[in-house]
Amino acid sequence: MAQRLLRGDSPGGGLSRARRVAAVVGIVAGLPIVTAGALVLREELALGSLLLVYLLLVVAIAAVGGFLPGVSAALLSFAAANLFLTQPYYTLHIDDRDTVLELVVFVVIAVIVSLVVEFASRERAAYRDRLAEQDAHARELATADAVRTSLLAAVGHDLRTPLAGIKAAASALRQRGVTWRPDQREALLETVEESADRLTRVVSDLLDMSRLQSGGHVTRRESVEVAALVAHTVAGHPRAAVRVDLPEGLPDVCGDAGFFERILDNLVDNARRFSPDESAVEITAAIAAEPAGGPGAQPRESGLVRLAVVDHGPGVPQQDWDRMFLPLQRLHDRSAGGHAGMGLAIARGLAEATGARVFPSPTPGGGLTMTLEMPVVQQ
């Protein structure tokens, strides 16, 4: 603590640098003024009275700048009083023992006052810090409550809709006295299957979002074949809804295969939601190239594979690109097959967790392209 005081540190948010500078200015300007006034009055007032004026200056400087400026002011005041107010004048020699005692007492009192002011200032600063921490914690709790409330409201519909579909289709199939044609029975079973898939996706999204926010995801670093990754993802979507065009010879990428599949599935699902009915989502891939280093130089491979999911829907304005990755954001999506708006947030979170990147760009001719950028396996 003593070392901190001597350095003039302000741990825990003590006195600011501006206040300490103001105290130094007070010493430089105030001490000569007080000394000049004392010189005028030294024949009319006792030394003790003049030292009280110096003490008032020291207290004011300590209140502004704390311990170190206060002690500096006290020592300089002691020197000034010794030189100009004690006989013999203009020397450091003091003939009278009472005068020595007065000056020593003055310095001791000045130092004690400076210490008290310093500690009081630090206590006030620490108290302000505690209040700020409590306010920040309260805001975090309020934000968390708001997110939970929004999440429950958002997923409520997404949970109820597939459950209602399953319940209705199952009840219809179990109706006694009703004979369903094969195509009707197949349609009801298809409804059960699709509703169960939707329910599974909503629950998976909730679990993924919870793990991402708590940092509970465990990632693996493995070699992943891009063609196999795309094939597994596309298998979960209608054949006509997705068109794949991958070049030959793509290198394997490094990361968590399960994460990559989940990311790509979310990107495809999001692209399908915004694509016109007659337009398929396109998946392409390429090895990213670094820009050429100078005139005549050829671009070099960057060690990254970019998997692009292209839709030809209405697109998203660039000013909304960051916002669409926030949880519970649906932007302008008002499709009947509603969703909680967590797909892109989960995709970006999983990508960052496994060393990849997801970013948007406009599709030439209209639409949005979401790119999953993955590092190539190092040989």
Side-chain angles (χ1 to χ4, degrees), residues 35-354:
T35 302
L39 280 172
V40 173
L41 299 173
R42 70 181 180 184
E43 301 301 336
E44 301 177 17
L45 296 177
L47 177 62
S49 299
L50 297 175
L51 288 179
L52 288 177
V53 178
Y54 276 110
L55 185 60
L56 179 61
L57 175 66
V58 171
V59 170
I61 290 173
V64 173
F67 177 77
L68 197 56
V71 170
S72 300
L75 295 177
L76 290 173
S77 297
F78 170 83
N82 192 358
L83 279 173
F84 301 112
L85 305 181
T86 61
Q87 294 181 350
Y89 296 135
Y90 313 117
T91 70
L92 295 178
H93 180 71
I94 303 174
D95 290 336
D96 186 18
R97 287 183 298 178
D98 292 339
T99 301
V100 174
L101 180 61
E102 286 177 311
L103 289 174
V104 171
V105 170
F106 163 75
V107 171
V108 171
I109 292 175
V111 170
I112 292 174
V113 169
S114 299
L115 272 174
V116 170
V117 171
E118 176 74 21
F119 283 126
S121 299
R122 290 175 184 273
E123 284 297 319
R124 285 199 302 271
Y127 179 68
R128 287 197 301 270
D129 288 345
R130 287 195 295 272
L131 285 180
E133 290 176 0
Q134 290 173 357
D135 288 343
H137 184 60
R139 286 195 296 273
E140 290 178 0
L141 291 177
T143 301
D145 286 341
V147 169
R148 278 194 291 270
T149 301
S150 300
L151 183 61
L152 289 174
V155 303
H157 173 267
D158 300 310
L159 289 172
R160 285 195 300 269
T161 300
L163 284 173
I166 293 172
K167 173 67 175 175
S171 297
L173 288 171
R174 294 190 66 226
Q175 274 188 315
R176 295 180 180 178
V178 178
T179 302
W180 298 101
R181 298 196 310 271
D183 60 323
Q184 293 173 325
R185 184 180 182 81
E186 184 63 26
L188 289 170
L189 290 174
E190 186 177 341
T191 298
V192 172
E193 186 176 15
E194 290 179 351
S195 298
D197 289 343
R198 286 184 58 188
L199 193 60
T200 300
R201 174 179 289 277
V202 172
V203 173
S204 298
D205 283 349
L206 288 172
L207 292 175
D208 283 339
M209 183 59 65
S210 175
R211 288 170 182 156
L212 283 171
Q213 291 182 341
S214 64
H217 265 300
V218 178
T219 61
R220 294 178 294 180
R221 306 292 289 178
E222 56 191 337
S223 178
V224 181
E225 184 184 353
V226 177
L229 165 66
V230 174
H232 288 159
T233 304
V234 171
H237 297 269
R239 183 184 297 272
V242 183
R243 186 166 64 246
V244 179
D245 183 12
L246 301 180
E248 297 287 342
L250 278 175
D252 290 351
V253 294
C254 179
D256 191 305
F259 279 22
F260 284 153
E261 189 171 335
R262 189 90 169 88
I263 295 165
L264 188 57
D265 186 55
N266 279 5
L267 297 182
V268 171
D269 184 69
N270 185 73
R272 285 184 54 201
R273 186 173 298 111
F274 289 95
S275 293
D277 293 338
E278 69 281 4
S279 176
V281 172
E282 301 166 12
I283 298 179
T284 64
I287 301 175
E290 292 181 342
Q298 296 297 319
R300 297 179 303 175
E301 293 183 359
S302 64
L304 299 169
V305 169
R306 287 176 178 163
L307 202 57
V309 179
V310 183
D311 73 60
H312 297 281
V316 177
Q318 188 167 353
Q319 62 267 25
D320 289 335
W321 284 359
D322 287 335
R323 194 159 62 92
M324 68 182 176
F325 285 101
L326 297 176
L328 310 179
Q329 294 295 319
R330 303 189 192 200
L331 293 183
H332 307 296
D333 182 15
R334 296 292 183 269
S335 61
H339 62 110
M342 295 185 289
L344 291 183
I346 291 171
R348 172 167 281 186
L350 293 178
E352 291 174 350
T354 195

